[in-house]
Amino acid sequence: DSGVTQTPKHLITATGQRVTLRCSPRSGDLSVYWYQQSLDQGLQFLIQYYNGEERAKGNILERFSAQQFPDLHSELNLSSLELGDSALYFCASSVGFGGRNIQYFGAGTRLSVL
Amino acid sequence: GQSLEQPSEVTAVEGAIVQINCTYQTSGFYGLSWYQQHDGGAPTFLSYNALDGLEETGRFSSFLSRSDSYGYLLLQELQMKDSASYFCAPSGGSYIPTFGRGTSLIVHP
């Protein structure tokens, strides 16, 4: 158990809908990262928050947004869903963001868009 | 620009030694991490190299050559449970590791 909690584990929805994925980082970790993993694209970095502020952006679509709350949990919002958004979404956390920055991953949310 | 190359698949037998190579191009390279991911599971951290040379952690070792933009993960005394995907993930100026498609390691009895 990494200490990172993601909910829900599975999500099935229809195209055009909006969903919210939730992540609680390990106790004491200030950084939260979101990743998308699909068979053809591998593990793709989406966005990072550090202590409530957005710190870095990766290949995140405009239809997607995220935030980190004062209690450090984070949410990833996916809207106007398309079939191609079906993937495994991981959240990871780390203490900070520099140097030997070990990321601890949650179990992921498997999103199926039908 | 950024690029990352590692073999898509490697096969080996139980008890053998296997090396998974990784070449990368990363702006402002800082260090190279390795992660393991079992099917359906979450990636877990294995090792990190910031300086040239070999880092050993039990049966696993990781090597880095900064001048060659090259690293490898060495797995010794392979066990069936080592069958998994292995990701090399270079960190650049933002310190965020870049993952790719990883290498699928298949260990046969």
Side-chain angles (χ1 to χ4, degrees):
Chain A
D1 183 6
S2 67
V4 178
T5 304
Q6 285 188 250
T7 56
K9 285 191 171 15
H10 301 278
L11 204 45
I12 302 174
T13 187
T15 54
Q17 295 298 304
R18 173 190 168 94
V19 297
T20 297
L21 282 52
R22 185 189 166 100
C23 169
S24 293
R26 289 188 328 152
S27 177
D29 284 358
L30 298 179
S31 270
V32 169
Y33 310 76
W34 286 98
Y35 291 87
Q36 179 192 58
Q37 186 172 39
S38 56
L39 281 173
D40 56 342
Q41 294 291 324
L43 194 57
Q44 297 252 318
F45 166 69
L46 296 178
I47 196 164
Q48 179 206 3
Y49 281 82
Y50 176 76
N51 204 19
E53 300 287 327
E54 181 186 302
R55 182 176 175 270
K57 253 183 173 173
N59 301 321
I60 188 166
L61 300 171
E62 282 193 19
R63 299 184 286 110
F64 296 0
S65 65
Q67 53 183 327
Q68 186 180 28
F69 295 86
D71 67 352
L72 301 178
H73 91 270
S74 177
E75 291 181 357
L76 178 67
N77 301 295
L78 315 176
S79 61
S80 303
L81 283 168
E82 301 174 0
L83 296 176
D85 297 326
S86 295
L88 200 47
Y89 290 84
F90 285 106
C91 164
S93 74
S94 67
V95 172
F97 54 81
R100 191 173 185 270
N101 182 24
I102 299 172
Q103 296 191 5
Y104 296 87
F105 284 77
T109 293
R110 184 170 294 282
L111 174 66
S112 298
V113 182
L114 305 178
Chain B
Q2 302 217 37
S3 69
L4 183 60
E5 279 191 32
Q6 54 180 126
S8 58
E9 187 177 291
V10 172
T11 59
V13 295
E14 231 178 341
I17 298 173
V18 74
Q19 178 173 312
I20 298 174
N21 297 319
C22 170
T23 57
Y24 59 85
Q25 278 189 2
T26 301
S27 303
F29 175 79
Y30 200 89
L32 187 68
S33 303
W34 288 89
Y35 284 77
Q36 177 194 58
Q37 184 182 27
H38 285 99
D39 253 355
T44 55
F45 173 81
L46 289 177
S47 69
Y48 175 78
N49 296 67
L51 303 175
D52 285 356
L54 197 66
E55 292 275 344
E56 298 182 59
T57 311
R59 294 187 298 114
F60 293 3
S61 303
S62 58
F63 172 82
L64 176 66
S65 168
R66 295 177 69 100
S67 59
D68 295 323
S69 296
Y70 165 76
Y72 67 72
L73 180 69
L74 191 73
L75 298 87
Q76 303 183 72
E77 300 170 24
L78 279 176
Q79 302 175 9
M80 296 296 290
K81 68 177 182 179
D82 297 330
S83 292
S85 289
Y86 292 85
F87 295 86
C88 70
S91 305
S94 66
Y95 304 116
I96 296 174
T98 299
F99 295 83
R101 292 183 178 78
T103 297
S104 176
L105 171 63
I106 301 169
V107 181
H108 295 290

XYZ file of all heavy atoms in Angstrom, chain A residues 16-113:
775
model
N -19.546 12.623 -23.918
C -20.145 13.914 -23.634
C -20.328 14.205 -22.160
O -20.604 15.348 -21.779
N -20.168 13.212 -21.319
C -20.366 13.394 -19.888
C -19.142 13.995 -19.215
O -18.086 14.171 -19.833
C -20.710 12.057 -19.219
C -22.023 11.465 -19.661
C -23.191 12.370 -19.313
O -23.409 12.742 -18.160
N -23.961 12.751 -20.332
N -19.301 14.290 -17.925
C -18.224 14.863 -17.109
C -18.050 13.989 -15.877
O -19.043 13.550 -15.302
C -18.619 16.279 -16.700
C -17.684 16.951 -15.723
C -18.306 18.248 -15.209
N -17.579 18.775 -14.061
C -16.615 19.685 -14.152
N -16.269 20.175 -15.324
N -15.989 20.118 -13.073
N -16.789 13.757 -15.508
C -16.515 12.962 -14.311
C -15.444 13.645 -13.474
O -14.675 14.474 -13.974
C -16.040 11.525 -14.666
C -17.129 10.763 -15.412
C -14.753 11.545 -15.470
N -15.407 13.264 -12.207
C -14.388 13.779 -11.291
C -13.674 12.621 -10.635
O -14.315 11.732 -10.071
C -15.025 14.678 -10.213
O -15.612 15.815 -10.852
C -13.961 15.157 -9.226
N -12.362 12.642 -10.709
C -11.521 11.637 -10.070
C -10.867 12.283 -8.856
O -10.419 13.432 -8.926
C -10.436 11.150 -11.033
C -10.798 10.149 -12.128
C -11.991 10.593 -12.954
C -9.588 9.908 -13.024
N -10.771 11.529 -7.792
C -10.273 12.079 -6.542
C -9.007 11.378 -6.078
O -8.856 10.176 -6.286
C -11.359 11.972 -5.474
C -11.001 12.621 -4.158
C -12.034 12.288 -3.091
N -11.527 12.620 -1.762
C -11.833 13.714 -1.086
N -12.683 14.594 -1.583
N -11.324 13.941 0.118
N -8.133 12.142 -5.436
C -6.864 11.589 -4.969
C -6.502 12.177 -3.611
O -6.523 13.394 -3.442
C -5.764 11.923 -5.976
S -4.081 11.571 -5.403
N -6.164 11.306 -2.674
C -5.635 11.758 -1.389
C -4.176 11.337 -1.312
O -3.870 10.146 -1.401
C -6.415 11.119 -0.226
O -7.732 11.603 -0.205
N -3.263 12.283 -1.184
C -1.834 11.945 -1.175
C -1.420 11.295 0.141
O -2.195 11.249 1.084
C -1.161 13.301 -1.345
C -2.124 14.271 -0.732
C -3.492 13.721 -1.035
N -0.202 10.785 0.167
C 0.364 10.253 1.396
C 0.449 11.369 2.425
O 0.670 12.537 2.067
C 1.779 9.723 1.162
C 1.907 8.476 0.367
C 3.351 7.961 0.386
N 4.342 9.021 0.473
C 5.533 8.896 1.004
N 5.900 7.739 1.540
N 6.389 9.895 1.017
N 0.332 11.005 3.665
C 0.449 11.987 4.729
C 1.810 12.671 4.643
O 2.854 12.010 4.557
C 0.308 11.271 6.072
O 0.490 12.172 7.124
N 1.800 13.994 4.628
C 3.048 14.755 4.576
C 3.519 15.138 3.184
O 4.394 15.991 3.032
N 2.954 14.502 2.149
C 3.361 14.847 0.781
C 2.636 16.102 0.318
O 1.420 16.210 0.465
C 3.062 13.694 -0.181
C 4.051 12.551 -0.045
O 4.997 12.666 0.767
O 3.886 11.547 -0.769
N 3.389 17.018 -0.276
C 2.806 18.274 -0.730
C 2.544 18.303 -2.233
O 1.780 19.120 -2.721
C 3.738 19.439 -0.376
C 4.010 19.656 1.111
C 4.967 20.836 1.307
C 2.720 19.921 1.878
N 3.229 17.426 -2.963
C 3.084 17.389 -4.427
C 2.123 16.294 -4.854
O 2.190 15.175 -4.348
C 4.429 17.112 -5.093
O 5.132 18.274 -5.387
N 1.267 16.631 -5.794
C 0.372 15.646 -6.393
C 0.515 15.724 -7.906
O 0.604 16.817 -8.478
C -1.091 15.925 -6.000
C -2.034 15.076 -6.841
C -1.320 15.629 -4.527
N 0.572 14.560 -8.531
C 0.709 14.469 -9.983
C -0.448 13.635 -10.524
O -0.876 12.681 -9.888
C 2.011 13.759 -10.373
C 3.252 14.264 -9.701
C 3.534 13.933 -8.380
C 4.170 15.058 -10.391
C 4.681 14.380 -7.748
C 5.326 15.514 -9.773
C 5.570 15.167 -8.453
O 6.718 15.612 -7.844
N -0.860 13.972 -11.732
C -1.856 13.157 -12.430
C -1.257 12.628 -13.718
O -0.573 13.360 -14.451
C -3.113 13.966 -12.745
C -3.973 14.234 -11.561
C -4.013 15.371 -10.796
C -4.930 13.340 -10.995
N -4.930 15.232 -9.784
C -5.507 14.003 -9.884
C -5.369 12.048 -11.302
C -6.501 13.418 -9.090
C -6.354 11.460 -10.519
C -6.913 12.142 -9.424
N -1.505 11.337 -13.979
C -1.023 10.672 -15.176
C -2.176 9.938 -15.868
O -3.096 9.463 -15.218
C 0.052 9.639 -14.843
C 1.361 10.200 -14.362
C 1.564 10.478 -13.017
C 2.394 10.455 -15.248
C 2.768 10.989 -12.559
C 3.613 10.961 -14.806
C 3.791 11.216 -13.458
O 4.987 11.716 -13.025
N -2.056 9.835 -17.174
C -2.995 9.028 -17.954
C -2.207 7.890 -18.585
O -1.129 8.118 -19.146
C -3.631 9.889 -19.051
C -4.602 9.138 -19.946
C -4.974 9.946 -21.184
O -4.119 10.326 -21.968
N -6.250 10.224 -21.354
N -2.722 6.680 -18.473
C -2.047 5.545 -19.085
C -2.981 4.815 -20.033
O -4.031 4.313 -19.639
C -1.526 4.565 -18.034
C -0.686 3.435 -18.634
C -0.019 2.585 -17.583
O -0.590 2.287 -16.536
N 1.227 2.185 -17.836
N -2.585 4.782 -21.292
C -3.334 4.006 -22.278
C -2.342 3.122 -23.012
O -1.138 3.364 -22.964
C -4.072 4.929 -23.248
O -3.157 5.816 -23.865
N -2.880 2.103 -23.689
C -2.009 1.115 -24.335
C -1.106 1.759 -25.372
O 0.059 1.422 -25.495
C -2.852 0.022 -24.976
C -3.385 -1.031 -24.016
C -4.349 -1.970 -24.720
C -2.248 -1.807 -23.372
N -1.657 2.705 -26.129
C -0.862 3.253 -27.237
C 0.022 4.433 -26.839
O 0.963 4.766 -27.549
C -1.786 3.656 -28.395
C -2.857 4.643 -27.947
O -3.098 4.737 -26.729
O -3.449 5.304 -28.810
N -0.261 5.062 -25.706
C 0.496 6.265 -25.331
C 1.392 6.070 -24.126
O 2.129 6.969 -23.759
C -0.466 7.428 -25.038
C -1.238 7.898 -26.242
C -0.354 8.573 -27.257
O 0.590 9.260 -26.921
N -0.645 8.341 -28.531
N 1.315 4.933 -23.476
C 2.147 4.761 -22.290
C 1.657 5.625 -21.148
O 0.495 6.023 -21.087
N 2.563 5.935 -20.229
C 2.216 6.719 -19.032
C 2.540 8.179 -19.314
O 3.695 8.566 -19.420
C 3.033 6.189 -17.852
C 2.643 6.609 -16.439
C 1.202 6.236 -16.144
C 3.566 5.964 -15.428
N 1.483 8.992 -19.436
C 1.648 10.384 -19.825
C 1.356 11.309 -18.648
O 0.296 11.233 -18.035
C 0.665 10.715 -20.949
C 0.899 9.937 -22.213
C 1.466 10.812 -23.301
O 1.019 11.944 -23.475
N 2.439 10.316 -24.016
N 2.282 12.221 -18.398
C 2.114 13.201 -17.332
C 1.071 14.239 -17.757
O 1.133 14.776 -18.858
C 3.453 13.873 -17.041
C 3.366 15.112 -16.208
C 2.999 15.047 -14.873
C 3.645 16.345 -16.747
C 2.920 16.187 -14.092
C 3.575 17.496 -15.984
C 3.211 17.423 -14.653
N 0.133 14.532 -16.875
C -0.896 15.520 -17.163
C -0.619 16.841 -16.458
O -0.536 17.896 -17.098
C -2.274 14.996 -16.743
C -2.788 13.764 -17.482
C -4.141 13.334 -16.929
C -2.888 14.021 -18.976
N -0.507 16.799 -15.129
C -0.390 18.046 -14.382
C 0.142 17.756 -12.982
O -0.027 16.641 -12.459
C -1.755 18.768 -14.326
C -1.612 20.220 -13.914
C -2.734 18.018 -13.419
C -2.842 21.066 -14.224
N 0.794 18.764 -12.399
C 1.319 18.648 -11.040
C 0.867 19.837 -10.203
O 0.861 20.977 -10.681
C 2.848 18.607 -11.035
C 3.443 18.511 -9.628
C 4.845 19.065 -9.499
O 5.411 19.597 -10.446
N 5.437 18.940 -8.327
N 0.524 19.567 -8.968
C 0.250 20.612 -7.986
C 1.211 20.474 -6.822
O 1.587 19.356 -6.442
C -1.200 20.519 -7.471
C -2.172 21.105 -8.440
C -2.632 20.358 -9.529
C -2.609 22.415 -8.322
C -3.509 20.907 -10.448
C -3.484 22.967 -9.237
C -3.916 22.200 -10.293
O -4.777 22.748 -11.220
N 1.601 21.619 -6.298
C 2.457 21.620 -5.125
C 1.862 22.566 -4.094
O 1.733 23.761 -4.355
C 3.891 22.039 -5.475
C 4.798 22.144 -4.272
C 5.291 21.002 -3.667
C 5.140 23.385 -3.737
C 6.112 21.092 -2.547
C 5.950 23.473 -2.620
C 6.436 22.330 -2.039
O 7.247 22.404 -0.924
N 1.476 22.033 -2.977
C 0.934 22.819 -1.866
C -0.191 23.758 -2.316
O -0.231 24.922 -1.918
C 2.060 23.624 -1.206
C 1.734 23.984 0.222
O 0.870 23.380 0.859
N 2.402 24.996 0.739
N -1.046 23.230 -3.170
C -2.228 23.980 -3.574
C -2.085 24.768 -4.863
O -3.080 25.257 -5.403
N -0.844 24.880 -5.356
C -0.635 25.678 -6.560
C -0.243 24.783 -7.732
O 0.527 23.842 -7.563
C 0.494 26.698 -6.334
C 0.232 27.680 -5.201
C -0.800 28.699 -5.583
O -0.869 29.075 -6.774
O -1.571 29.136 -4.694
N -0.712 25.133 -8.924
C -0.294 24.394 -10.103
C 1.182 24.665 -10.346
O 1.615 25.822 -10.369
C -1.111 24.858 -11.309
C -0.757 24.115 -12.586
C -1.471 24.707 -13.788
O -2.717 24.754 -13.785
O -0.780 25.140 -14.738
N 1.949 23.590 -10.541
C 3.393 23.779 -10.698
C 3.883 23.443 -12.101
O 4.787 24.080 -12.616
C 4.169 22.938 -9.687
C 5.663 23.148 -9.790
C 6.502 22.447 -8.793
N 7.906 22.675 -9.142
C 8.598 21.900 -9.942
N 8.051 20.807 -10.439
N 9.858 22.187 -10.239
N 3.303 22.439 -12.709
C 3.751 22.046 -14.049
C 2.605 21.404 -14.795
O 1.735 20.756 -14.209
C 4.930 21.074 -13.963
N 2.616 21.621 -16.100
C 1.585 21.054 -16.953
C 2.232 20.191 -17.994
O 3.271 20.547 -18.560
C 0.821 22.181 -17.657
C -0.554 22.436 -17.145
C -1.239 23.519 -17.944
C -2.673 23.631 -17.503
N -3.378 24.743 -18.080
N 1.613 19.076 -18.271
C 2.093 18.199 -19.332
C 1.095 18.200 -20.463
O 0.578 19.233 -20.852
N 0.788 17.011 -20.960
C -0.116 16.893 -22.101
C -1.583 16.857 -21.675
O -2.308 15.940 -22.024
C 0.201 15.621 -22.884
C 1.636 15.616 -23.396
O 2.138 16.629 -23.824
N 2.285 14.470 -23.327
N -1.994 17.863 -20.972
C -3.370 17.867 -20.483
C -4.270 18.621 -21.452
O -3.956 19.718 -21.890
C -3.450 18.468 -19.051
C -4.851 18.280 -18.486
C -2.973 19.907 -19.009
C -4.948 18.509 -16.996
N -5.368 17.987 -21.812
C -6.309 18.601 -22.744
C -7.052 19.740 -22.068
O -7.200 19.774 -20.841
C -7.323 17.556 -23.235
C -6.746 16.340 -23.969
C -7.835 15.294 -24.193
C -6.131 16.767 -25.289
N -7.556 20.655 -22.882
C -8.316 21.787 -22.325
C -9.613 21.321 -21.680
O -10.148 21.999 -20.799
C -8.621 22.800 -23.424
C -7.425 23.665 -23.758
C -7.804 24.865 -24.598
O -8.985 25.241 -24.641
O -6.907 25.436 -25.229
N -10.130 20.177 -22.100
C -11.355 19.618 -21.521
C -11.100 19.070 -20.117
O -12.042 18.740 -19.386
C -11.875 18.471 -22.398
C -12.238 18.874 -23.798
C -12.827 17.711 -24.571
N -11.853 16.711 -24.972
C -11.774 15.492 -24.455
N -12.588 15.119 -23.481
N -10.870 14.630 -24.890
N -9.841 18.961 -19.746
C -9.490 18.417 -18.440
C -9.013 19.553 -17.537
O -8.334 20.480 -17.991
C -8.358 17.387 -18.561
C -8.690 16.147 -19.344
C -9.935 15.943 -19.923
C -7.733 15.161 -19.499
C -10.228 14.796 -20.641
C -8.011 13.999 -20.215
C -9.254 13.819 -20.793
N -9.322 19.447 -16.274
C -8.819 20.433 -15.317
C -8.592 19.742 -13.983
O -9.111 18.648 -13.744
C -9.801 21.590 -15.155
O -11.009 21.123 -14.583
N -7.813 20.370 -13.159
C -7.526 19.767 -11.857
C -7.377 20.865 -10.821
O -7.244 22.039 -11.151
C -6.253 18.915 -11.924
N -7.428 20.469 -9.570
C -7.111 21.404 -8.500
C -6.648 20.630 -7.275
O -6.938 19.439 -7.138
C -8.299 22.296 -8.163
C -9.597 21.581 -7.869
C -10.738 22.572 -7.610
O -10.539 23.667 -7.071
N -11.942 22.203 -7.999
N -5.944 21.341 -6.414
C -5.517 20.758 -5.148
C -6.078 21.645 -4.034
O -5.911 22.855 -4.050
C -3.992 20.684 -5.042
C -3.513 19.948 -3.793
C -1.997 19.869 -3.692
O -1.279 20.731 -4.193
N -1.486 18.830 -3.028
N -6.729 21.017 -3.105
C -7.444 21.729 -2.053
C -6.552 21.981 -0.837
O -5.480 21.400 -0.729
C -8.688 20.919 -1.668
C -9.688 20.818 -2.779
C -9.581 19.811 -3.737
C -10.712 21.740 -2.908
C -10.477 19.723 -4.789
C -11.621 21.666 -3.953
C -11.500 20.661 -4.901
N -6.990 22.852 0.080
C -6.170 23.152 1.268
C -5.777 21.922 2.084
O -4.707 21.913 2.701
C -7.065 24.086 2.081
C -7.886 24.796 1.044
C -8.155 23.749 -0.011
N -6.598 20.879 2.063
C -6.212 19.668 2.806
C -5.289 18.770 1.964
O -4.966 17.663 2.367
C -7.437 18.885 3.268
C -8.225 18.293 2.093
O -7.908 18.615 0.930
O -9.158 17.510 2.340
N -4.879 19.273 0.810
C -3.926 18.658 -0.133
C -4.515 17.548 -1.010
O -3.802 17.039 -1.880
C -2.672 18.153 0.587
C -1.896 19.229 1.340
C -0.696 18.634 2.050
C -1.444 20.334 0.379
N -5.770 17.191 -0.802
C -6.312 16.226 -1.741
C -6.524 16.921 -3.083
O -6.586 18.161 -3.156
C -7.592 15.569 -1.207
C -8.873 16.256 -1.591
N -9.453 17.258 -0.825
C -9.690 16.073 -2.664
C -10.571 17.648 -1.413
N -10.733 16.960 -2.522
N -6.605 16.132 -4.132
C -6.707 16.711 -5.469
C -7.836 16.050 -6.229
O -8.207 14.908 -5.961
C -5.383 16.507 -6.215
O -5.454 16.998 -7.544
N -8.372 16.792 -7.170
C -9.406 16.266 -8.056
C -9.038 16.560 -9.499
O -8.520 17.637 -9.802
C -10.765 16.888 -7.722
C -11.309 16.427 -6.374
C -12.656 17.019 -6.048
O -13.180 17.843 -6.827
O -13.211 16.658 -4.988
N -9.316 15.591 -10.356
C -9.118 15.745 -11.793
C -10.490 15.680 -12.430
O -11.214 14.703 -12.257
C -8.224 14.628 -12.328
C -7.953 14.629 -13.837
C -7.107 15.833 -14.240
C -7.237 13.333 -14.260
N -10.862 16.743 -13.125
C -12.157 16.831 -13.778
C -11.995 16.621 -15.281
O -11.175 17.287 -15.915
C -12.782 18.206 -13.541
C -12.969 18.477 -12.056
O -13.736 17.796 -11.393
N -12.256 19.454 -11.537
N -12.747 15.687 -15.811
C -12.702 15.387 -17.236
C -14.087 15.666 -17.810
O -15.077 15.100 -17.331
C -12.338 13.912 -17.462
C -11.185 13.336 -16.624
C -11.018 11.847 -16.906
C -9.894 14.072 -16.910
N -14.158 16.544 -18.805
C -15.467 16.900 -19.341
C -15.548 16.606 -20.830
O -14.528 16.326 -21.472
C -15.763 18.370 -19.070
O -14.792 19.179 -19.703
N -16.767 16.684 -21.351
C -17.031 16.401 -22.772
C -16.285 15.141 -23.199
O -15.543 15.129 -24.183
C -16.598 17.593 -23.642
O -17.240 18.758 -23.245
N -16.481 14.108 -22.441
C -15.695 12.890 -22.617
C -15.850 12.284 -24.006
O -16.941 12.293 -24.594
C -16.074 11.875 -21.547
C -15.481 12.167 -20.156
C -16.139 11.296 -19.100
C -13.981 11.991 -20.157
N -14.736 11.768 -24.492
C -14.710 11.096 -25.783
C -14.248 9.652 -25.565
O -13.660 9.322 -24.531
C -13.735 11.823 -26.724
C -14.092 13.278 -26.944
C -13.044 14.012 -27.763
O -12.036 13.388 -28.151
O -13.240 15.221 -28.022
N -14.500 8.830 -26.573
C -14.108 7.423 -26.460
C -12.622 7.281 -26.158
O -12.200 6.426 -25.377
C -14.442 6.668 -27.748
C -15.911 6.553 -28.115
C -16.073 5.866 -29.473
C -16.681 5.791 -27.044
N -11.820 8.147 -26.761
C -10.375 8.094 -26.602
C -9.877 8.464 -25.215
O -8.693 8.302 -24.909
N -10.774 8.945 -24.365
C -10.382 9.278 -22.992
C -10.375 8.046 -22.107
O -9.924 8.119 -20.950
C -11.328 10.330 -22.411
C -11.281 11.648 -23.171
O -10.189 12.005 -23.670
O -12.337 12.307 -23.274
N -10.889 6.955 -22.608
C -10.859 5.702 -21.832
C -9.416 5.332 -21.556
O -8.601 5.205 -22.476
C -11.536 4.579 -22.636
O -12.905 4.849 -22.818
N -9.096 5.184 -20.297
C -7.708 4.939 -19.898
C -7.676 4.693 -18.399
O -8.698 4.787 -17.711
C -6.816 6.136 -20.240
N -6.468 4.401 -17.938
C -6.216 4.302 -16.492
C -5.625 5.637 -16.065
O -4.676 6.127 -16.690
C -5.224 3.165 -16.252
C -5.089 2.497 -14.897
C -6.434 2.149 -14.306
C -4.228 1.257 -15.031
N -6.203 6.238 -15.047
C -5.709 7.523 -14.560
C -5.080 7.308 -13.193
O -5.727 6.822 -12.272
C -6.843 8.550 -14.486
C -7.319 8.961 -15.846
C -8.250 8.197 -16.536
C -6.809 10.093 -16.468
C -8.663 8.554 -17.810
C -7.220 10.459 -17.743
C -8.140 9.677 -18.405
O -8.541 10.029 -19.677
N -3.799 7.691 -13.100
C -3.082 7.542 -11.846
C -2.827 8.896 -11.216
O -2.547 9.888 -11.891
C -1.724 6.870 -12.072
C -1.792 5.396 -12.342
C -1.579 4.905 -13.620
C -2.049 4.501 -11.313
C -1.641 3.544 -13.879
C -2.111 3.136 -11.556
C -1.898 2.661 -12.846
N -2.864 8.876 -9.922
C -2.412 9.993 -9.119
C -1.152 9.528 -8.398
O -1.044 8.354 -8.012
C -3.512 10.374 -8.131
S -2.985 11.426 -6.787
N -0.204 10.415 -8.258
C 1.004 10.108 -7.488
C 1.284 11.287 -6.566
O 0.861 12.412 -6.828
C 2.193 9.874 -8.417
N 1.991 11.014 -5.484
C 2.383 12.118 -4.602
C 3.849 11.983 -4.223
O 4.446 10.890 -4.321
C 1.495 12.162 -3.349
O 1.803 11.121 -2.441
N 4.434 13.079 -3.847
C 5.811 13.093 -3.370
C 5.939 14.196 -2.333
O 5.102 15.094 -2.257
C 6.796 13.312 -4.529
O 6.658 14.598 -5.082
N 7.031 14.121 -1.601
C 7.233 15.113 -0.535
C 7.367 16.505 -1.137
O 6.716 17.455 -0.727
C 8.491 14.765 0.287
C 8.808 15.891 1.263
C 8.284 13.460 1.031
N 8.271 16.621 -2.124
C 8.507 17.918 -2.751
C 8.522 17.748 -4.240
O 7.652 17.084 -4.807
N 9.511 18.312 -4.907
C 9.599 18.142 -6.344
C 11.022 18.183 -6.867
O 11.225 18.086 -8.034
C 8.774 19.215 -7.081
C 9.110 20.631 -6.699
C 10.206 21.273 -7.250
C 8.333 21.309 -5.774
C 10.513 22.573 -6.900
C 8.643 22.618 -5.418
C 9.734 23.247 -5.975
N 12.018 18.293 -6.042
C 13.380 18.408 -6.534
C 14.166 17.122 -6.410
O 13.860 16.259 -5.598
N 15.209 17.017 -7.242
C 16.187 15.962 -7.089
C 15.628 14.560 -7.093
O 14.862 14.182 -7.970
N 16.012 13.786 -6.075
C 15.597 12.390 -5.971
C 14.132 12.370 -5.530
O 13.816 12.107 -4.378
C 16.469 11.657 -4.973
C 16.298 10.142 -4.985
C 17.340 9.512 -4.085
N 17.318 8.067 -4.124
C 16.589 7.306 -3.316
N 15.836 7.866 -2.394
N 16.621 6.008 -3.411
N 13.284 12.649 -6.493
C 11.881 12.887 -6.199
C 11.082 11.611 -6.397
O 10.595 11.337 -7.474
C 11.372 13.991 -7.143
C 9.939 14.347 -6.888
O 9.435 14.144 -5.794
N 9.261 14.860 -7.889
N 10.978 10.801 -5.363
C 10.286 9.524 -5.471
C 8.786 9.776 -5.474
O 8.251 10.433 -4.577
C 10.644 8.593 -4.307
C 12.139 8.303 -4.307
C 9.853 7.287 -4.402
C 12.618 7.546 -3.086
N 8.133 9.235 -6.477
C 6.683 9.373 -6.573
C 6.023 8.079 -6.099
O 6.448 6.991 -6.476
C 6.264 9.672 -8.009
C 6.781 11.001 -8.518
C 6.154 11.405 -9.832
O 5.250 10.746 -10.338
N 6.627 12.491 -10.401
N 4.987 8.242 -5.309
C 4.202 7.107 -4.828
C 2.851 7.160 -5.536
O 2.154 8.170 -5.462
C 4.038 7.176 -3.313
C 5.357 7.055 -2.581
C 6.132 8.176 -2.324
C 5.829 5.817 -2.192
C 7.355 8.070 -1.689
C 7.058 5.695 -1.541
C 7.812 6.828 -1.294
O 9.027 6.706 -0.670
N 2.527 6.078 -6.218
C 1.330 6.040 -7.047
C 0.156 5.384 -6.327
O 0.318 4.398 -5.595
C 1.603 5.260 -8.338
C 2.402 6.025 -9.361
C 3.758 6.181 -9.218
C 1.775 6.570 -10.474
C 4.500 6.888 -10.158
C 2.504 7.275 -11.422
C 3.869 7.428 -11.270
N -1.020 5.931 -6.600
C -2.239 5.283 -6.160
C -2.573 4.116 -7.086
O -1.893 3.899 -8.087
N -3.629 3.393 -6.739
C -4.015 2.202 -7.507
C -4.677 2.539 -8.831
O -4.860 1.664 -9.675
C -4.933 1.326 -6.674
N -5.024 3.801 -9.021
C -5.574 4.227 -10.302
C -7.088 4.170 -10.381
O -7.750 3.470 -9.600
N -7.620 4.933 -11.309
C -9.042 4.888 -11.648
C -9.142 4.453 -13.098
O -8.556 5.093 -13.981
C -9.710 6.268 -11.482
O -9.725 6.627 -10.109
C -11.137 6.234 -12.025
N -9.869 3.374 -13.334
C -10.047 2.919 -14.716
C -11.320 3.542 -15.262
O -12.421 3.269 -14.765
C -10.137 1.395 -14.793
C -10.220 0.883 -16.234
C -10.068 -0.612 -16.331
N -8.746 -1.084 -15.954
C -7.668 -1.018 -16.720
N -7.752 -0.501 -17.929
N -6.513 -1.497 -16.304
N -11.154 4.387 -16.264
C -12.282 5.093 -16.875
C -12.640 4.440 -18.196
O -11.773 4.275 -19.064
C -11.932 6.562 -17.114
C -12.957 7.383 -17.880
C -14.240 7.538 -17.065
C -12.390 8.753 -18.248
N -13.880 4.091 -18.328
C -14.385 3.546 -19.590
C -15.460 4.482 -20.109
O -16.458 4.721 -19.416
C -14.974 2.143 -19.391
O -13.984 1.241 -18.930
N -15.241 5.015 -21.302
C -16.215 5.902 -21.932
C -16.886 5.132 -23.064
O -16.209 4.648 -23.976
C -15.537 7.174 -22.489
C -16.585 8.108 -23.089
C -14.767 7.887 -21.390
